[in-house]
Amino acid sequence: MEPNAPVYFTRGNPATDALPIDDFRECADAVFKEQGRVLFQYGHYSGYGLLRQWIADWLKVDYEQVLLGNSSMEFLTFAAGLFLKRGDPVFLENPSYDRAITAMKRADADVVGIPLEPDGIDMAAFEAALKIKPPKLFYIVPDFQNPSGVTTGVAKRKRIAELAKAHEFLILEDAPYRFLRYRGEHPPTFRELVPDNTLHISSFSKIMSPGVRVGILIGPPDIMPKLHKWSEDTYIHPALVTEGIVYEYCRRGLLAPNIEKLRALYQPRMDCILQMLETNMGDAEYIKPEGGFFLSVTLPDTVDGRALQENAEKFGIVLSDGSGFFTDGKGDNFVRLPFCGLSEEEIEIGIQRLAKAIAHYTA
Ligand SMILES: Cc1ncc(COP(=O)(O)O)c(C=O)c1O
């Protein structure tokens, strides 16, 4: 990297060099020849049928349980629009994915943040909030959470699943990073633990390409008709052209090796940032993930986190505003560190610069 170039610890982008562009060109050519008359015409409101069927077979669910959309972000707005009325409680991990917080606030829901611990939400706080009023939705990113890197442990998953049944709320399980596990075992999904109470969303953004904007929602059979109808009333149907290319890519068996390739690329980057934090972070607490795109550092109170975030560029790093990830905006000392889109050299230099900036703003 250029010596004076800043290191961007901002967006959770996949590595640009890993986008399978040549494969997409071949897939597009083949599928447009075969299926162009379907893909370039109006289509079904639930998305391209061949891709829905491929996903149903892959994830072992019924075809009718699969809804395709223009990215998983869109499903957050669908869920908020369909299930939340003004003032309805919605629970989120605190911190949480900033765009999910925005989607829930836009629906005028009563957003309740449940503090996050290194193995998932604080269960005592969750149960106390349930006693006040159970939510309509509980939004959770259980695997390698954006922004913290936390994975919810098995015991907490099971208890949350029991509580969802007992208090009849829906779990909105957002799992875009699940397939990017670099070590350790997969805990069960909420979709597996409590399928009747779970809307499971994910997308091809992190395992193939975000530019295709293809999202996947899997839900209980009794709820799906409402979601299919919501989709139709929103945009008639999602974009079929990219769904066709994604289908052809999957049909050719290219997805599984691509995920392997990404794991092999990202694991050393995760190990590198963990190593750098161990040597440079002093008193700061940080999450040690086993996969995904992010980890996070919580700075001690002796650090003026607001000044650090606002002046980071003077130290050659660009940070996201930590407070955006908190339902109550109290995240001045929270630093999200995406690592997948950075080379090991950038990570090493970036963490050294971050350590310098922290030292500068420590009282
Ligand atoms: C937790 C989470 N959910 C949803 C999204 C949005 O992904 P998509 O590209 O599928 O809209 C992201 C993207 O970073 C994310 O981190």
Side-chain angles (χ1 to χ4, degrees):
M1 73 178 264
E2 296 288 322
N4 293 327
V7 176
Y8 287 87
F9 287 118
T10 41
R11 297 185 69 186
N13 286 1
T16 305
D17 291 346
L19 298 172
I21 297 167
D22 289 336
D23 287 334
F24 283 154
R25 289 173 58 197
E26 283 179 26
C27 289
D29 193 44
V31 80
F32 290 178
K33 271 189 196 135
E34 284 284 317
Q35 293 282 319
R37 294 170 70 86
V38 175
L39 297 176
F40 288 94
Q41 187 50 281
Y42 277 120
H44 194 278
Y45 45 83
S46 305
Y48 184 44
L50 291 177
L51 182 59
R52 282 177 72 201
Q53 188 60 59
W54 190 90
I55 290 167
D57 295 342
W58 178 39
L59 299 178
K60 302 187 178 45
V61 291
D62 291 341
Y63 181 76
E64 287 301 327
Q65 286 180 266
V66 180
L67 174 65
L68 300 179
N70 295 332
S71 84
S72 63
M73 180 60 219
E74 186 144 58
F75 291 137
L76 299 182
T77 63
F78 277 21
L82 188 53
F83 297 106
L84 297 175
K85 292 195 302 297
R86 179 185 295 251
D88 278 345
V90 55
F91 290 4
L92 288 87
E93 300 160 288
N94 202 24
S96 183
Y97 177 42
D98 50 350
R99 295 187 206 276
I101 300 176
T102 305
M104 302 305 159
K105 286 191 172 165
R106 268 196 194 164
D108 276 337
D110 177 13
V111 170
V112 179
I114 311 291
L116 193 60
E117 300 173 336
D119 66 342
I121 48 164
D122 172 343
M123 291 306 300
F126 188 64
E127 300 207 23
L130 278 177
K131 278 198 188 123
I132 298 170
K133 193 169 180 191
K136 284 276 159 50
L137 288 178
F138 171 38
Y139 171 77
I140 179 166
V141 184
D143 305 288
F144 320 122
Q145 195 229 30
N146 180 6
S148 64
V150 163
T151 290
T152 302
V154 178
K156 288 192 177 179
R157 287 178 193 235
K158 288 189 175 159
R159 183 69 188 136
I160 294 166
E162 278 170 15
L163 290 166
K165 272 200 169 163
H167 294 273
E168 297 181 349
F169 60 85
L170 272 178
I171 298 170
L172 186 54
E173 173 174 52
D174 189 0
Y177 304 101
R178 184 166 173 88
F179 289 105
L180 295 172
R181 172 171 281 282
Y182 314 133
R183 63 170 70 90
E185 298 292 313
H186 279 300
T189 56
F190 287 104
R191 178 172 72 75
E192 288 156 334
L193 289 172
V194 63
D196 292 345
N197 293 69
T198 303
L199 293 178
H200 177 101
I201 63 180
S202 64
S203 76
F204 290 95
S205 293
K206 313 294 174 175
I207 53 175
M208 190 190 283
S209 146
V212 295
R213 308 310 293 137
V214 177
I216 304 166
L217 183 148
I218 293 163
D222 58 326
I223 294 182
M224 288 314 291
K226 282 190 202 156
L227 278 154
H228 291 292
K229 178 83 173 80
W230 190 274
S231 164
E232 183 179 15
D233 291 344
T234 304
Y235 48 29
I236 307 179
H237 62 76
L240 300 182
V241 172
T242 52
E243 287 179 14
I245 300 170
V246 169
Y247 166 70
E248 182 63 18
Y249 187 87
C250 294
R251 188 190 71 77
R252 292 181 176 203
L254 297 174
L255 183 60
N258 193 56
I259 293 174
E260 281 316 309
K261 191 180 89 180
L262 293 176
R263 283 194 191 125
L265 180 67
Y266 295 155
Q267 173 166 3
R269 294 180 179 191
M270 183 180 76
D271 289 342
C272 173
I273 195 165
L274 284 169
Q275 182 59 51
M276 288 304 292
L277 290 176
E278 194 173 328
T279 9
N280 290 280
M281 256 327 104
D283 293 343
E285 288 168 27
Y286 57 94
I287 298 298
K288 297 178 182 155
E290 295 188 327
F293 270 38
F294 306 98
L295 56 72
S296 58
V297 177
T298 304
L299 303 170
D301 292 342
T302 47
V303 180
D304 181 349
R306 178 80 346 238
L308 170 84
Q309 309 222 10
E310 283 170 5
N311 295 292
E313 285 187 51
K314 292 185 191 149
F315 291 83
I317 45 175
V318 189
L319 302 175
S320 298
D321 180 355
S323 56
F325 302 114
F326 285 78
T327 53
D328 51 11
K330 291 187 182 156
D332 283 352
N333 278 25
F334 178 88
V335 180
R336 181 182 75 167
L337 296 172
F339 51 82
C340 288
L342 300 174
S343 68
E344 289 177 46
E345 185 193 11
E346 287 170 314
I347 290 171
E348 283 170 14
I349 293 172
I351 297 298
Q352 281 161 1
R353 290 177 181 174
L354 176 62
K356 263 194 202 148
I358 293 172
H360 185 84
Y361 289 106
T362 299

